[in-house]
Amino acid sequence: MKKLFSLALALALCLSLSPPAMAAFHDLYIEGPNGERLEEADGVLESGQDADHHEIVTLNGVKNVGITAGSSPIITLAPGSKNELLFLGGGDSERTNDITIKGTGELIIYSPNPTEFIQNNGVFSGLITSFKLEDGLVMTGGTKLGDNNPLELKVIRTDPVNGSKTSAIVVGNTPAMYIRIAPAEPSAAGFTDVANSSPYAEAIKWAVEKGITNGTSATAFSPNTTCTIRQILTFLYRANGRPGAVSGQSDLDAAITWAINEGLLAATVETDAECSRSGAMQFMWKAAGSPTPTKTASFSDVTAGSLFEQAIYWAVEKGITNGTSSDQFSPFDFCTRGQIVTFLYRAYK
């Protein structure tokens, strides 16, 4: 079923193994967590090759192994299965190098103790020219466990001798060290990057319905993108009914004028700077009339008498936000679009 490769070819494939000189290479092989070659592994079901030399593989609960596939494998995630690989790679210099993943299971690719090869190339790389997901699967990940960024296949290195192109799944230009492939979750408010299960889902739906903000594109909200001072003031201005709106003036400009006139903002503040948690609470507190909170909160990083102390106590009392831990508020951490909209939702719904 499998084609043998020479050691020289295997090295050209940029694989992570360093076996003895006479070792045989197959179109698909499995590697254990310590780099050992495995004849088989629980949850990896092979069914040969099709007429176009595609390796046919089903993953059904595989864990703690890596897979190196040859030319154009078709990998099926068994229905409802949860699969975990240490890496996925491959490529064959004599054939096409497509990879297709389909099915309705979940696949996590993450290596807690990556080899030097994986550190340089990520958990999904090789001589791969194209990559396709089917059956409604989507791929997210990033540089660390749990990241949820959109990813893409990109050429990251070209061999100066033979011209072989190493491709990797990347976030931006950085090889991904964590990848999750799974069926797409139902989206909120029509945004593909906001699942209905997201903690921001209800707030984003509300914000769009109320005209407080839209997405960053027709299909994306970018909930994890940092929010600027100008943006939060615009959201806050709209949440307050666009006071003093002038025909022909953009909400972005009107919001700054309103914020300065209402004492929310000094005219000298750089409004394109990122907005901190304490800054967001101050803007909202001042827009509410700077009420005196009736309760205090115990945060070791909120200094008594600080400019933002009263705003934070008010926000916690009103249920707008809590600390980032039992005794930390993290007043200087920057806010994301999803967080800002959630604060406004809790304050104005």
Side-chain angles (χ1 to χ4, degrees):
M1 178 182 77
K2 298 180 180 296
K3 174 184 173 182
L4 300 179
F5 291 94
S6 67
L7 176 61
L9 175 58
L11 292 176
L13 296 182
C14 300
L15 302 179
S16 60
L17 298 179
S18 299
M22 298 305 292
F25 285 80
H26 298 75
D27 276 359
L28 180 143
Y29 62 80
I30 304 167
E31 183 179 345
N34 297 316
E36 71 275 22
R37 186 73 62 83
L38 304 176
E39 292 296 323
E40 60 183 27
D42 290 341
V44 181
L45 311 176
E46 301 175 54
S47 58
Q49 295 180 338
D50 65 12
D52 295 319
H53 302 289
H54 296 150
E55 197 80 34
I56 308 300
V57 183
T58 296
L59 302 184
N60 190 12
V62 64
K63 289 187 177 182
N64 211 32
V65 299
I67 290 181
T68 297
S71 65
S72 302
I74 298 174
I75 299 172
T76 300
L77 308 180
S81 65
K82 295 190 177 296
N83 305 279
E84 299 176 7
L85 293 178
L86 300 174
F87 65 87
L88 175 62
D92 182 338
S93 61
E94 297 179 3
R95 300 176 184 167
T96 57
N97 296 299
D98 307 313
I99 290 183
T100 299
I101 299 180
K102 61 183 184 177
T104 55
E106 177 187 58
L107 173 60
I108 299 293
I109 313 175
Y110 173 68
S111 181
N113 300 298
T115 63
E116 182 179 354
F117 173 84
I118 295 175
Q119 288 174 343
N120 292 333
N121 299 277
V123 291
F124 189 169
S125 58
L127 299 183
I128 304 163
T129 54
S130 68
F131 172 64
K132 181 168 65 173
L133 294 174
E134 296 183 353
D135 298 327
L137 295 173
V138 295
M139 176 174 63
T140 56
T143 58
K144 64 182 184 302
L145 183 68
D147 280 353
N148 193 37
N149 303 297
L151 305 176
E152 63 178 326
L153 181 73
K154 184 179 291 187
V155 175
I156 61 170
R157 190 173 300 104
T158 300
D159 190 295
V161 177
N162 58 29
S164 297
K165 298 182 183 297
T166 299
S167 298
I169 299 294
V170 300
V171 52
N173 293 310
T174 304
M177 300 301 292
Y178 167 80
I179 294 173
R180 180 179 184 266
I181 297 171
E185 296 185 62
S187 59
F191 298 120
T192 58
D193 57 355
V194 183
N196 276 332
S197 59
S198 167
Y200 308 132
E202 286 302 315
I204 290 172
K205 290 178 184 178
W206 168 82
V208 172
E209 289 172 359
K210 295 295 185 181
I212 291 170
T213 185
N214 290 312
T216 53
S217 74
T219 59
F221 187 82
S222 304
N224 298 317
T225 299
T226 304
C227 199
T228 66
I229 291 173
R230 180 181 295 271
Q231 289 168 339
I232 182 181
L233 289 175
T234 302
F235 299 164
L236 191 56
Y237 170 72
R238 291 169 177 164
N240 279 276
R242 293 180 169 84
V246 177
S247 177
Q249 186 180 33
S250 72
D251 282 357
L252 288 171
D253 292 335
I256 299 303
T257 300
W258 168 76
I260 292 173
N261 290 340
E262 293 295 317
L264 278 64
L265 181 75
T268 56
V269 171
E270 174 52 63
T271 57
D272 289 327
E274 296 168 312
C275 185
S276 66
R277 283 171 53 82
S278 59
M281 296 310 106
Q282 282 184 287
F283 294 143
M284 294 178 67
W285 175 63
K286 290 178 180 178
S290 303
T292 301
T294 61
K295 299 178 181 178
T296 62
S298 179
F299 296 120
S300 60
D301 55 0
V302 178
T303 305
S306 64
L307 292 174
F308 47 76
E309 178 190 23
Q310 294 296 298
I312 289 174
Y313 292 165
W314 167 80
V316 172
E317 182 180 337
K318 293 296 183 182
I320 295 170
T321 186
N322 291 309
T324 54
S325 71
S326 60
D327 69 339
Q328 297 277 310
F329 186 82
S330 303
F332 303 113
D333 284 2
F334 295 130
C335 293
T336 65
R337 284 170 51 83
Q339 291 168 341
I340 291 294
V341 167
T342 301
F343 297 156
L344 292 172
Y345 172 67
R346 292 168 180 166
Y348 287 90
K349 66 177 179 178

